[in-house]
Amino acid sequence: MCGRAACSLNPDTLCRACDYKDAAGKRRTTSWTKSAVEYVPSSNIGPKDVLPCVVSGSHFGKEDERVLCSMMWSMIPPWHEGDYRKSTLSTHNARLENIKNSKLYSGPLRKGQRCIVVCDGYYEWKAGKTKKDSKQPYYIYAAQKKGVKADDSTTWKDDWSEEYGWKGYKVLKMAGIFNTFKTVEGKTIHSCTIITTESNSVLSWMHNRVPVFLSTEQDSQVWLSEKLSVANAVDKLKKLTLSDGDLSWYTVSTMVNSVLCKSADCRKEARAVAEKKNNPTSFMASWLKKGSAESAKRRSTETEKNDDKPPKIAKEK
């Protein structure tokens, strides 16, 4: 499952981070196409917010093989009426096992409306040992080169050349499907869903579902190919396997639980909640601090009581 993401790269940088080789073998950056919804960089993007997607340029009448398009993350059902943001269906994820026969997803799939959803990383919550235990959020991202820290953008390079391509922060690319929706005002809204599959041993300890990752340039080329049939598209995704070393992760603060919190602190590495509770050093420090505070409070109270008592007068001998 993928219900929260981070994408903080600015639009110009994303053009370079989503570069590709065209049919002639030339390295190109990916340009933006116009969209009725605006991509706003953020470290905490939730369903019905906007994510950048890479799609075939032919869907927009473009000569470019690929373009970037801002899309609302949650596919709008074609039968929906009224405000497109008020759809009550949960459509930010689509199960790979069901998309061929889904009333919602099979149509766009048959039309070849496939996309690549791009982000810096995404968040997942690991359930506690009991129902009473709070869930621990994790930040998951593509494995980076040595020295690149996912929670410190000052370590990210903005380095691209036609010869070597993108050498900066490695973004996550996930298989997705998109659709279009006409508003009563005549605007065309693009919306997308991220395709998920069963977890394998890499992440099954955290959650039983994961996005379908397009880890190589060849994976991306195949997924965006207009010649790919529905059956072949699904079969290709089923063969993609998450391998050790593809991803990295760490625990983050529960501040990410609120989608209203957009701060970069959401993806800052933080000690796990359970670890804090079970850490004897942390517990002892807390106990000593508490004991010290209570002792000081008692002393203060006793002093106040003594101050309120009238002074003793010595008896004359």
Side-chain angles (χ1 to χ4, degrees):
M1 180 172 180
C2 179
R4 208 66 67 75
C7 196
S8 60
L9 293 176
N10 66 55
D12 288 340
T13 303
L14 275 171
C15 293
R16 294 182 284 277
C18 296
D19 68 344
Y20 67 99
K21 282 187 178 181
D22 63 16
K26 185 178 180 180
R27 179 70 62 178
R28 293 184 177 276
T29 58
T30 305
S31 60
W32 287 89
T33 189
K34 290 183 179 180
S35 175
V37 292
E38 182 184 3
Y39 160 65
V40 178
S42 171
S43 293
N44 193 3
I45 297 172
K48 296 191 178 179
D49 285 341
V50 178
L51 279 170
C53 296
V54 176
V55 296
S56 171
S58 61
H59 291 294
F60 298 90
K62 302 280 187 180
E63 293 183 2
D64 295 334
E65 291 181 25
R66 297 183 192 178
V67 294
L68 272 162
C69 179
S70 298
M71 297 191 188
M72 187 180 83
W73 180 22
S74 284
M75 188 179 289
I76 307 165
W79 56 82
H80 181 73
E81 297 179 354
D83 188 343
Y84 66 91
R85 292 187 61 85
K86 291 185 177 180
S87 171
T88 56
L89 283 181
S90 178
T91 59
H92 57 285
N93 287 166
R95 295 174 71 92
L96 175 60
E97 302 90 330
N98 303 334
I99 56 175
K100 280 199 298 185
N101 301 317
S102 167
K103 291 181 180 179
L104 176 58
Y105 303 120
S106 60
L109 198 60
R110 285 195 301 271
K111 295 176 184 176
Q113 292 174 180
R114 299 183 296 272
C115 63
I116 300 172
V117 182
V118 181
C119 62
D120 303 345
Y122 75 102
Y123 300 93
E124 190 56 86
W125 281 258
K126 177 175 168 45
K129 293 182 179 179
T130 68
K131 291 183 178 180
K132 292 182 179 180
D133 293 335
S134 59
K135 292 183 178 181
Q136 174 61 56
Y138 282 77
Y139 184 61
I140 304 164
Y141 57 100
Q144 304 293 324
K145 292 181 179 179
K146 186 178 180 180
V148 178
K149 297 180 179 180
D151 61 351
D152 184 1
S153 59
T154 63
T155 65
W156 304 0
K157 293 181 179 179
D158 189 345
D159 185 7
W160 183 88
S161 68
E162 189 175 318
E163 182 178 1
Y164 299 108
W166 177 247
K167 294 297 181 182
Y169 184 89
K170 186 178 180 182
V171 295
L172 279 181
K173 296 178 179 179
M174 305 178 233
I177 306 171
F178 75 93
N179 208 354
T180 57
F181 179 82
K182 283 279 188 180
T183 68
V184 292
E185 296 83 13
K187 291 183 179 179
T188 299
I189 306 297
H190 290 84
S191 59
C192 67
T193 185
I194 293 172
I195 300 173
T196 67
T197 188
E198 290 186 3
S199 294
N200 63 7
S201 58
V202 177
L203 282 179
S204 58
W205 59 272
M206 187 186 301
H207 201 278
N208 64 343
R209 305 289 299 181
V210 292
V212 177
F213 298 103
L214 303 172
S215 302
T216 68
E217 173 58 21
Q218 184 178 8
D219 293 339
S220 296
Q221 286 180 352
V222 170
W223 181 242
L224 295 181
S225 173
E226 297 176 61
K227 299 177 181 179
L228 200 62
S229 67
V230 172
N232 286 339
V234 174
D235 287 342
K236 290 288 184 182
L237 292 191
K238 287 181 178 179
K239 293 177 182 178
L240 296 180
T241 303
L242 188 60
S243 303
D244 286 321
D246 287 345
L247 301 174
S248 297
W249 53 81
Y250 53 74
T251 54
V252 294
S253 165
T254 52
M255 72 168 59
V256 74
N257 293 2
S258 172
V259 74
L260 298 178
C261 182
K262 305 293 187 182
S263 166
D265 289 339
C266 287
R267 68 175 179 203
K268 282 287 185 183
E269 185 170 5
R271 185 183 296 180
V273 173
E275 184 183 346
K276 288 181 179 179
K277 288 181 179 178
N278 299 328
N279 188 326
T281 304
S282 175
F283 173 78
M284 182 60 72
S286 177
W287 181 80
L288 289 172
K289 184 177 180 180
K290 182 179 179 181
S292 177
E294 290 179 349
S295 178
K297 184 177 180 181
R298 284 198 299 271
R299 289 196 300 271
S300 176
T301 302
E302 289 171 359
T303 301
E304 289 175 0
K305 287 181 179 179
N306 290 334
D307 287 344
D308 290 338
K309 292 179 180 178
K312 292 183 178 179
I313 301 175
K315 292 183 180 180
E316 294 181 1
K317 293 182 180 179

